[in-house]
Amino acid sequence: QVQLVQSGAEVKKPGASVKVSCKASAYSFTGYYMHWVRQAPGQGLEWMGWINPNSGGTNYAQKFQGRVTMTRDTSISTAYMELSRVKSDDTAVYYCSRGDVGDFMVWGRGTLVTVSS
Amino acid sequence: SYELTQPLSVSVALGQTARITCGGNNIGSKNVHWYQQKPGQAPVLVIYRDSNRPSGIPERFSGSNSGNTATLTISRAQAGDEAAYYCQVWDSSTVVFGGGTKLTVL
């Protein structure tokens, strides 16, 4: 079945970078945009941006521009989200989600990123 | 930037009908999608493009969208419907989520 498998939990110190991966299976990886959404503890969903796996083109939410980089490796059907200069309020669960016709039908299970000194 | 407003919480008696609203400027001109999220789990799409149910979502879930308000309606509410619900739209090539509504089934 269609699946997005994300990398494991990370603990980072303030100022470091974190890179989360999202491996797609059972569908054409280059046929759908991949989005990244995060959720801080006890908070709502926050969209971070998307990557077009076919072209590599990206669109980032203004809040994250300059700090986030989304990439992909089509040979292994994997998307990546790297967040730099992390702070304590970047502590959150980070989800990848396949973009369908405006909605998000398929989600990864999430990757907990903890930023702590 | 575009904003979506949801009530923080909604309560419904078991077996009754719950309505969760999502307010936005002329939201009726946009496609609205709704997600259910239970603690510790990823969101699940329950309504797409205002009023369509994905496969596997009970008919008890329905949606509407007009003017400045979109509404998710859950009929015959069950204990298992207790969750957070989020609305979502696209605006100017960006994705916008509502703040979320915690549904409590009494």
Side-chain angles (χ1 to χ4, degrees):
Chain A
Q1 74 279 23
V2 174
Q3 204 171 3
L4 299 174
V5 178
Q6 298 187 222
S7 49
E10 302 262 12
V11 179
K12 295 293 180 181
K13 293 191 182 304
S17 295
V18 64
K19 191 171 186 177
V20 179
S21 67
C22 172
K23 181 172 176 59
S25 60
Y27 75 93
S28 171
F29 177 65
T30 55
Y32 298 83
Y33 284 25
M34 190 69 77
H35 294 250
W36 291 87
V37 176
R38 77 176 187 179
Q39 186 171 37
Q43 302 301 307
L45 303 173
E46 182 175 33
W47 178 76
M48 300 181 70
W50 55 251
I51 182 168
N52 177 345
N54 189 42
S55 67
T58 55
N59 182 30
Y60 304 140
Q62 189 169 10
K63 175 177 179 176
F64 300 103
Q65 285 183 7
R67 274 209 311 143
V68 71
T69 304
M70 296 178 188
T71 57
R72 90 295 191 211
D73 184 339
T74 57
S75 68
I76 55 172
S77 299
T78 299
Y80 303 91
M81 186 284 301
E82 184 170 22
L83 189 63
S84 63
R85 305 188 302 278
V86 295
K87 310 166 276 195
S88 58
D89 59 5
D90 290 319
T91 293
V93 175
Y94 289 76
Y95 294 101
C96 59
S97 183
R98 190 185 82 174
D100 288 274
V101 188
D103 55 65
F104 303 115
M105 182 80 72
V106 184
W107 293 72
R109 288 193 170 189
T111 297
L112 175 62
V113 174
T114 303
V115 181
S116 174
S117 55
Chain B
S1 60
Y2 195 79
E3 293 186 359
L4 295 174
T5 302
Q6 297 183 236
L8 278 176
S9 63
V10 168
S11 297
V12 62
L14 188 68
Q16 297 304 302
T17 297
R19 293 178 179 84
I20 298 172
T21 58
C22 176
N25 184 34
N26 197 26
I27 195 174
S29 66
K30 300 180 182 298
N31 288 315
V32 179
H33 317 288
W34 290 92
Y35 303 86
Q36 175 194 70
Q37 187 182 33
K38 297 181 179 179
Q41 298 183 17
V44 172
L45 182 69
V46 293
I47 293 289
Y48 64 96
R49 275 178 270 149
D50 297 345
S51 59
N52 298 279
R53 276 177 294 103
S55 173
I57 301 300
E59 290 183 10
R60 301 183 297 102
F61 287 81
S62 62
S64 62
N65 183 20
S66 178
N68 293 319
T69 304
T71 303
L72 172 69
T73 301
I74 306 170
S75 305
R76 302 182 300 283
Q78 301 179 358
D81 298 333
E82 194 161 283
Y85 291 84
Y86 296 90
C87 56
Q88 175 249 313
V89 301
W90 278 82
D91 179 74
S92 302
S93 300
T94 64
V95 172
V96 181
F97 286 100
T101 299
K102 174 72 170 82
L103 177 67
T104 300
V105 180
L106 304 171

